[in-house]
Amino acid sequence: MKNKLNIIACSCLLIFIGLSSCKKITTGFLSDNLRYTANPLTVGQGVFLISNGIADDGSTPPFKITLLDVRNKATGKREEAFFKEYDVAVWNKTYNPLVDTTLALIDAKRGYEKKKPIYVLESSGQFMFTQASDNVPAGEYLVDLQVENPNGIKVYKDICTINLTETKTYEYVNNPYFQPLPVGSETAIPFSINENQAVDMTVGQGVNATLTIRRVADTPNQIVFKVLDKNGAVFPGKALSDRPTGNTFLKNLKTFAYKTTVTDTAILYDYAQARFPDPYWDSQQNALNCYYRIYEEWIESVDYADPANWSPPTKMQYLTYTAQPVKVNFRINTKLNKPGKYVYELKLRLTKKR
């Protein structure tokens, strides 16, 4: 009897084990609540950016994350521009603005590759935006992802909103201005209204100078720098001298460019890439300030703000200074965020000699 009971017990155990082996065992965990902590995620057009990864809510790695769709939030339609490839300039070796001072040296380090505006890194879910996003219209976009892990596969619609903002083509870092100096002196003539003040930085206007910037072509990467007097007469390029300081000279656009060409009406500066000047210079002495001098042989008179009639932007009157011959020092400071050809026109409140 005892043996019979043992046989029955063993049989039951075997049946239980067999049934258990037929049941599917769940491996790992894949949450329904995957998310991005930066949501919406804001990025500028044409800006290279790698975002933070996905917050996995305790889900089991490894992950295989795939970009399924990017849709315009306003229209609900797929934005095909995100899935096309574009030519993007890439540096095969690190660019050094102090060393790479010729086009040949620059081209030896630079090439072009086909890139999409957006990628999703498979294991982390990080978004990688490339310079090709300059080809995508600014706006808000919804992202759909597929995530696979040992637990299975799930689709996450609208998991993140991308706010693609229009990047400023150029920026005025500070206002332009000039200061007159007596011939033979390095001390500026003091006037009641300080010249180094902004009037309207949206158009590059200071007390006695206005810098107008226009992007006129996609190529070449070049600045055409023109300086005009108050009547619109153009100074020849040779009149725009380096500004001395002690036994050397202060920086100007020539410092940042790899090629400088002086013409009868302008100075041409060829540059390697945007951002220009290169971010390297941000932390250097005087940062991006560009200093020039126009000597007295080019100047008939200068204007200065009339303190009795000065309340910008509605009331801006000037007086003319002719008490003695003068030279002038002037300064500009800008950033170019998009490559291409630009025209800089700096209008000074002074009169060019005929």
Side-chain angles (χ1 to χ4, degrees):
M1 182 69 179
K2 185 176 180 181
N3 288 338
K4 187 180 287 187
L5 290 172
N6 288 337
I7 291 170
I8 293 171
C10 289
S11 298
C12 291
L13 179 61
L14 289 171
I15 292 170
F16 175 76
I17 292 172
L19 291 172
S20 298
S21 65
C22 293
K23 185 178 180 180
K24 184 178 180 180
I25 298 174
T26 301
T27 304
F29 169 66
L30 182 56
S31 173
D32 292 329
N33 299 314
L34 301 189
R35 63 187 180 88
Y36 285 90
T37 54
N39 187 13
L41 175 63
T42 299
V43 60
Q45 287 174 308
V47 175
F48 181 83
L49 175 72
I50 298 179
S51 73
N52 292 331
I54 205 165
D56 60 26
D57 192 35
S59 299
T60 306
F63 302 106
K64 182 180 179 182
I65 303 173
T66 306
L67 177 65
L68 295 181
D69 201 9
V70 183
R71 299 182 311 284
N72 186 296
K73 188 175 181 179
T75 66
K77 294 181 179 180
R78 177 181 173 93
E79 181 51 73
E80 294 294 344
F82 276 109
F83 299 92
K84 294 179 181 179
E85 291 187 330
Y86 304 88
D87 287 325
V88 172
V90 295
W91 292 96
N92 302 313
K93 295 181 180 179
T94 303
Y95 169 65
N96 184 338
L98 298 181
V99 175
D100 302 319
T101 55
T102 69
L103 186 58
L105 290 171
I106 291 168
D107 285 343
K109 292 185 174 183
R110 183 173 61 180
Y112 290 87
E113 294 181 2
K114 293 288 187 181
K115 297 281 187 182
K116 294 179 181 178
I118 188 173
Y119 295 89
V120 174
L121 304 189
E122 184 177 275
S123 61
S124 64
Q126 290 170 282
F127 293 111
M128 182 174 75
F129 297 89
T130 73
Q131 293 87 339
S133 65
D134 189 47
N135 297 280
V136 181
E140 288 188 301
Y141 297 92
L142 300 173
V143 178
D144 297 345
L145 298 180
Q146 175 180 286
V147 180
E148 179 180 354
N149 80 341
N151 180 266
I153 300 175
K154 290 183 180 180
V155 172
Y156 298 83
K157 291 184 69 66
D158 304 341
I159 191 170
C160 187
T161 298
I162 294 171
N163 182 22
L164 187 65
T165 60
E166 185 174 350
T167 300
K168 291 181 179 179
T169 304
Y170 58 86
E171 299 175 56
Y172 298 103
V173 179
N174 54 36
N175 59 279
Y177 76 98
F178 76 83
Q179 289 182 319
L181 302 85
V183 175
S185 172
E186 291 299 318
T187 302
I189 298 170
F191 294 117
S192 299
I193 305 297
N194 190 317
E195 302 90 347
N196 187 11
Q197 296 182 48
V199 173
D200 186 350
M201 284 294 288
T202 63
V203 294
Q205 184 180 15
V207 170
N208 61 10
T210 301
L211 177 62
T212 302
I213 300 177
R214 293 180 288 120
R215 186 175 185 271
V216 295
D218 291 336
T219 58
N221 289 348
Q222 185 183 77
I223 295 173
V224 179
F225 184 40
K226 297 183 176 183
V227 178
L228 296 75
D229 74 4
K230 67 179 181 180
N231 299 314
V234 178
F235 286 88
K238 64 182 180 181
L240 314 180
S241 301
D242 297 339
R243 176 177 166 180
T245 176
N247 296 322
T248 185
F249 297 92
L250 294 173
K251 292 182 295 187
N252 58 40
L253 287 170
K254 179 175 66 176
T255 309
F256 312 128
Y258 69 81
K259 181 182 177 183
T260 300
T261 306
V262 178
T263 75
D264 288 342
T265 57
I267 301 181
L268 313 181
Y269 298 101
D270 293 85
Y271 63 94
Q273 64 171 2
R275 209 203 73 191
F276 177 81
D278 190 87
Y280 163 83
W281 297 103
D282 291 349
S283 59
Q284 304 305 305
Q285 186 176 12
N286 289 323
L288 307 183
N289 283 325
C290 294
Y291 298 94
Y292 294 83
R293 172 169 289 180
I294 300 177
Y295 283 96
E296 59 273 11
E297 60 262 32
W298 298 103
I299 299 170
E300 183 68 37
S301 65
V302 297
D303 288 355
Y304 60 98
D306 178 5
N309 294 282
W310 188 257
S311 181
T314 57
K315 192 176 184 181
M316 296 174 60
Q317 295 187 26
Y318 295 88
L319 301 173
T320 299
Y321 181 85
T322 56
Q324 60 183 320
V326 296
K327 56 185 179 255
V328 301
N329 293 333
F330 67 87
R331 183 204 70 189
I332 63 171
N333 190 325
T334 60
K335 293 179 186 177
L336 301 182
N337 298 315
K338 188 173 183 177
K341 183 175 181 178
Y342 292 80
V343 175
Y344 280 27
E345 288 190 346
L346 178 67
K347 192 167 188 178
L348 305 176
R349 292 286 314 192
L350 51 80
T351 306
K352 173 180 175 291
K353 280 189 177 178
R354 298 295 181 184

